[in-house]
Amino acid sequence: MNYRLIIISAYLGLMLTGCSEKKETQIALQKQVERPNIILFVADDHGTDALGAYGNKVIKTPNLDKLASEGVRFNNAYCTTASCAASRSVILTGLFGHATGSYGHVHDYHHFSTYDKVKSLPVLLEKEGYATARIGKYHVAPESVYHFQEELKANPRNTVEMAEQCQGILASEKPFFLYFCTDDPHRAASTNPGQWDAPNSFGNKMEGYAGVETITYNPEDVIVPDFLPDSKESREEIAQYYQSVSRIDQGFGRLMQMLKESGKADNTIVIYISDNGMAFPGAKTTLYEPGMKLPCIIKDPSSKLKNTTSNAMISWVDLTPTILDMAKVEIKDNSFHGRSFKDVLNVKEPEGWDQIYASHTFHEITMYYPMRVVRDKNYKLIRNIAWRSEYPFASDLWAASTWQEVYRNNKEFYGKRKVQDYLFRPEFELFDLEKDPDEMLNLANDPNYKGVMDEMIKKMKDFQIKTRDPWLITWDHDSSLQGTGVNL
């Protein structure tokens, strides 16, 4: 036997194997280099009403306006539920909350939590070689489902300080995913809790925040949205809200400056959104337009479109599949309720993006008021499943001087809507948003729209079946999706 030949053959085999493994490693590293970095910046209770890029000429948001000039601003971007924790679960899973157990608030005694079998966006990106980090508001559970490799610490009301703490992740040798979540412009403890007509502070402080220029607004100058009463109380609260938004803008600007200094701006996708609409009755917790139609600005350096707008209807349930697509992660069919809109960033007038769905069940655990929504082109159908009950108030919205001024004076109207109509809603609300953007004329019982109603109800039921919505049972006691009660 020629042992020398055997030894040489084995040596050559090992060399070839080593070369093959080295080549595979190089290919894997090359794939990592080609993957973009991703920053998902999520504000807390920020509507389209308070952004220069969306037409507000009073508020000062130069850094976010610059992002819009460099990317794509969506005119029809929607959350699926206008409640912080529930909305964030959708953002990070691509699944509706009614299908994941994320029915409402996760903190304190509310204790809603996502099923532990769900795979969230940061977990999926980590598996693909991404460095993942989060900073600021988390508000989802359990941690095992929404796991980030790194938790950065900073005052979530000081977005400049938050940005400064992101230096490490921006310098990552791996592609990175940064989940940047402010507490602004969410309501805070009132500036004077003992005085009902004092405006909420929205996190603002007389002494300001380190590194942040305090930008104040005259209540006489602010723009009062049509759904709010144009009162002294509303204007004072909106002025505080604007100040909080301007603080976000400064932190965002600092983060973008740091990104540019890192040399990675040309390979980083930046997404700016909010979890739900402004924290005023009539917006947050409702599925009327002010509650769910939100800012969405995306700068993708590889996109063909710059400084443009898109009328495509997108939803927060689309964000996870979109970000995975941007990260060049293979997406299996039916993994998510949403779908990637990555290609929309390259098309001025995309087709097939004219329908969205929404699903709200709880805000706080004492606020059970399930609603389901289908929006198809200009028509929008809201089904108020608990329509026999009075519409519930989030605790901070009830205490808002904007609401208390109406409530304590027993006024008939809150903005354009009668107080009675706001508190007691019919089972169905059908609106033609092209003719009625304020959602004032309910067409649900108009015989001229019976065909539209029938078609919209069918779409809503199909949506509930497709997403295995337990509340399907509220249609004629349909128990087809009900489980056995046994955890198999």
Side-chain angles (χ1 to χ4, degrees):
M1 183 178 290
N2 193 335
Y3 291 104
R4 186 177 179 184
L5 182 60
I6 293 172
I7 291 170
I8 291 172
S9 298
Y11 179 70
L12 288 172
L14 286 171
M15 284 185 65
L16 289 171
T17 301
C19 289
S20 176
E21 290 177 351
K22 186 176 181 181
K23 186 176 181 181
E24 288 178 3
T25 301
Q26 288 175 336
I27 291 172
L29 288 172
Q30 183 65 25
K31 283 184 178 179
Q32 280 192 358
V33 170
E34 291 173 354
R35 294 184 192 270
N37 307 303
I38 299 165
I39 296 175
L40 178 57
F41 193 114
V42 185
D44 197 352
D45 301 354
H46 185 196
T48 57
D49 53 273
L51 254 176
Y54 280 88
N56 188 319
K57 298 187 183 303
V58 175
I59 197 163
K60 298 174 182 177
T61 52
N63 295 297
L64 289 168
D65 297 346
K66 181 181 179 183
L67 181 70
S69 72
E70 296 172 339
V72 177
R73 171 173 62 82
F74 285 86
N75 295 323
N76 293 297
Y78 289 85
C79 65
T80 67
T81 176
S83 178
C84 302
S87 182
R88 288 162 193 268
S89 76
V90 176
I91 290 168
L92 291 176
T93 66
L95 301 169
F96 288 96
H98 63 244
T100 65
S102 309
Y103 304 127
H105 275 357
V106 67
H107 64 298
D108 298 332
Y109 54 83
H110 312 296
H111 201 55
F112 291 111
S113 185
T114 302
Y115 299 144
D116 56 14
K117 65 182 179 181
V118 173
K119 300 295 183 184
S120 72
L121 177 61
V123 171
L124 293 170
L125 287 174
E126 180 182 347
K127 185 179 178 182
E128 295 292 328
Y130 271 78
T132 63
R134 66 177 175 89
I135 188 167
K137 188 167 184 174
Y138 190 43
H139 220 30
V140 285
E143 194 278 338
S144 59
V145 168
Y146 299 99
H147 175 70
F148 286 80
Q149 292 168 304
E150 189 174 8
E151 178 188 358
L152 308 174
K153 301 283 190 178
N155 183 345
R157 289 286 186 181
N158 185 338
T159 47
V160 171
E161 179 185 317
M162 290 174 69
E164 297 287 355
Q165 295 303 311
C166 295
Q167 190 70 57
I169 189 67
L170 296 182
S172 172
E173 294 183 0
K174 295 181 177 181
F176 65 80
F177 171 56
L178 173 60
Y179 184 55
F180 192 110
C181 301
T182 69
D183 271 9
D184 291 326
H186 194 287
R187 285 177 178 268
S190 175
T191 50
N192 188 347
Q195 186 180 349
W196 70 263
D197 59 349
N200 188 275
S201 68
F202 287 83
N204 305 319
K205 299 190 299 185
M206 291 294 293
E207 65 274 22
Y209 291 88
V212 180
E213 178 189 357
T214 299
I215 299 175
T216 60
Y217 295 87
N218 186 332
E220 294 180 2
D221 296 334
V222 303
I223 300 170
V224 181
D226 287 343
F227 72 93
L228 292 179
D230 190 350
S231 62
K232 171 179 174 291
E233 288 76 11
S234 285
R235 288 182 169 276
E236 288 177 347
E237 290 211 299
I238 292 171
Q240 294 290 325
Y241 165 62
Y242 280 13
Q243 182 177 333
S244 188
V245 171
S246 285
R247 189 162 54 250
I248 292 175
D249 185 78
Q250 291 181 59
F252 180 82
R254 176 58 184 142
L255 184 65
M256 292 301 98
Q257 179 187 5
M258 292 169 59
L259 178 65
K260 184 177 181 181
E261 291 169 355
S262 75
K264 297 181 179 180
D266 291 339
N267 190 38
T268 302
I269 296 167
V270 180
I271 303 171
Y272 180 85
I273 63 169
S274 172
D275 56 357
N276 49 249
M278 66 191 300
F280 286 73
K284 183 177 179 178
T285 77
T286 80
L287 292 182
Y288 294 130
E289 293 292 281
M292 62 183 295
K293 187 175 182 180
L294 302 175
C296 179
I297 307 171
I298 300 179
K299 178 186 176 182
D300 180 351
S302 68
S303 171
K304 298 176 183 177
L305 301 180
K306 312 290 182 186
N307 191 23
T308 191
T309 62
S310 174
N311 289 322
M313 280 187 212
I314 62 170
S315 164
W316 288 180
V317 79
D318 299 321
L319 282 169
T320 282
T322 299
I323 290 171
L324 290 173
D325 194 10
M326 289 171 164
K328 302 178 182 178
V329 177
E330 185 177 348
I331 302 172
K332 295 179 181 178
D333 291 342
N334 302 320
S335 296
F336 306 101
H337 294 148
R339 56 180 174 144
S340 172
F341 58 82
K342 175 178 176 288
D343 292 342
V344 171
L345 297 172
N346 294 307
V347 182
K348 183 66 178 175
E349 296 182 7
E351 296 182 357
W353 291 91
D354 51 12
Q355 190 174 104
I356 57 110
Y357 296 88
S359 169
H360 175 98
T361 306
F362 286 90
H363 180 64
E364 298 161 10
I365 197 168
T366 52
M367 288 184 61
Y368 177 72
Y369 202 85
M371 298 173 280
R372 300 295 183 263
V373 170
V374 57
R375 168 84 190 272
D376 186 21
K377 300 181 179 65
N378 56 306
Y379 289 111
K380 177 180 177 181
L381 177 66
I382 302 175
R383 183 178 179 224
N384 300 304
I385 297 173
W387 62 280
R388 294 177 180 84
S389 299
E390 180 176 340
Y391 190 80
F393 272 84
S395 52
D396 57 339
L397 301 189
W398 172 261
S401 59
T402 296
W403 170 254
Q404 287 294 314
E405 186 272 334
V406 171
Y407 172 71
R408 288 170 179 264
N409 291 300
N410 198 29
K411 291 190 172 180
E412 183 180 5
F413 281 87
Y414 178 80
K416 289 186 174 182
R417 189 172 268 108
K418 286 186 176 181
V419 171
Q420 185 73 6
D421 293 339
Y422 182 77
L423 296 177
F424 296 97
R425 306 178 183 187
E427 181 178 7
F428 295 106
E429 296 176 89
L430 176 67
F431 303 109
D432 182 343
L433 294 180
E434 186 176 352
K435 298 176 181 176
D436 178 28
D438 293 323
E439 300 168 289
M440 298 302 301
L441 181 60
N442 184 6
L443 305 171
N445 296 316
D446 188 328
N448 294 317
Y449 290 87
K450 184 181 185 304
V452 175
M453 272 293 292
D454 290 345
E455 181 62 25
M456 296 290 274
I457 286 174
K458 182 181 183 303
K459 289 180 183 293
M460 186 175 288
K461 288 182 178 179
D462 289 346
F463 156 69
Q464 291 186 271
I465 292 169
K466 180 181 177 182
T467 59
R468 297 194 61 79
D469 184 353
W471 277 261
L472 182 71
I473 198 172
T474 60
W475 297 95
D476 302 319
H477 303 281
D478 182 344
S479 61
S480 60
L481 293 182
Q482 299 305 295
T484 62
V486 178
N487 185 16
L488 298 176

